[in-house]
Amino acid sequence: PDRIAALGKSGGGGMNGSTVASENPNLNTVIAVEPAMMRTLPPEYVKHFADMKESTAGRIDTGRWLAELTPADRDRMNMIKAAPKLVDKNVLLIGSMGQDYLQNIHRPLVRAMTDAGAKHFSEVILEAANEFFLTKRIAMARLVISWLKQECGF
């Protein structure tokens, strides 16, 4: 179990990996790539989820899934509230340069982890990366491998 890590982006892995690690003593390493936060979705995301539902004939209905989350679910998946449970975990937070992301997600998460006294926390902003990291995937892969070896003993 010491060499198991969760890596993911946005809500599917960035946020959920941190939630699972905060609740599971056997998951000690999390790499959250531009994680999502449970907040009101910007209009472009609402449209994106509606388009995805239409293009998949209703098979993927992220908007409905998000709407069905209870307040307890949202509270449980709040990475800021999970920070005190992650202080002894290896956590790497990777972000992009988007101002909305930096202001509303990245900086508050860094502050929460720092305030909680995280012992093995690192954060990186990949400059010139778009929200999908299309131009930075090789750099990100090298960063993750290096961090896993140097900081986590993988």
Side-chain angles (χ1 to χ4, degrees):
D2 293 341
R3 294 177 55 149
I4 297 172
L7 181 147
K9 182 185 180 309
S10 191
M15 177 182 56
N16 290 332
S18 298
T19 301
V20 171
S22 73
E23 297 174 352
N24 186 332
N26 294 318
L27 181 57
N28 294 316
T29 303
V30 176
I31 302 151
V33 180
E34 201 171 53
M37 294 285 279
M38 284 292 145
R39 60 187 183 129
T40 303
L41 292 174
E44 62 270 17
Y45 281 86
V46 173
K47 181 181 180 337
H48 171 73
F49 292 149
D51 291 347
M52 188 182 339
K53 177 183 176 183
E54 183 178 326
S55 71
T56 63
R59 290 186 311 275
I60 299 176
D61 192 352
T62 305
R64 179 180 54 88
W65 298 333
L66 290 172
E68 290 175 351
L69 290 173
T70 67
D73 293 330
R74 291 178 180 273
D75 195 53
R76 182 174 161 247
M77 293 188 292
N78 183 321
M79 290 177 63
I80 291 173
K81 291 182 179 181
K85 297 177 187 173
L86 296 169
V87 295
D88 293 319
K89 308 279 184 164
N90 302 310
V91 179
L92 174 59
L93 175 62
I94 301 174
S96 68
M97 296 293 293
Q99 287 306 307
D100 179 62
Y101 166 77
L102 285 172
Q103 179 180 340
N104 295 308
I105 299 174
H106 193 90
R107 289 184 187 127
L109 287 174
V110 170
R111 191 170 27 258
M113 292 296 289
T114 303
D115 290 351
K119 299 173 187 154
H120 309 285
F121 173 68
S122 304
E123 57 101 7
V124 175
I125 299 293
L126 290 179
E127 293 185 26
N130 67 6
E131 67 176 306
F132 301 108
F133 292 86
L134 296 176
T135 59
K136 294 294 181 177
R137 289 192 177 178
I138 293 172
M140 186 167 55
R142 288 181 177 149
L143 167 73
V144 168
I145 291 167
S146 173
W147 181 81
L148 286 169
K149 287 179 178 178
Q150 293 174 5
E151 300 297 324
C152 308
F154 276 53

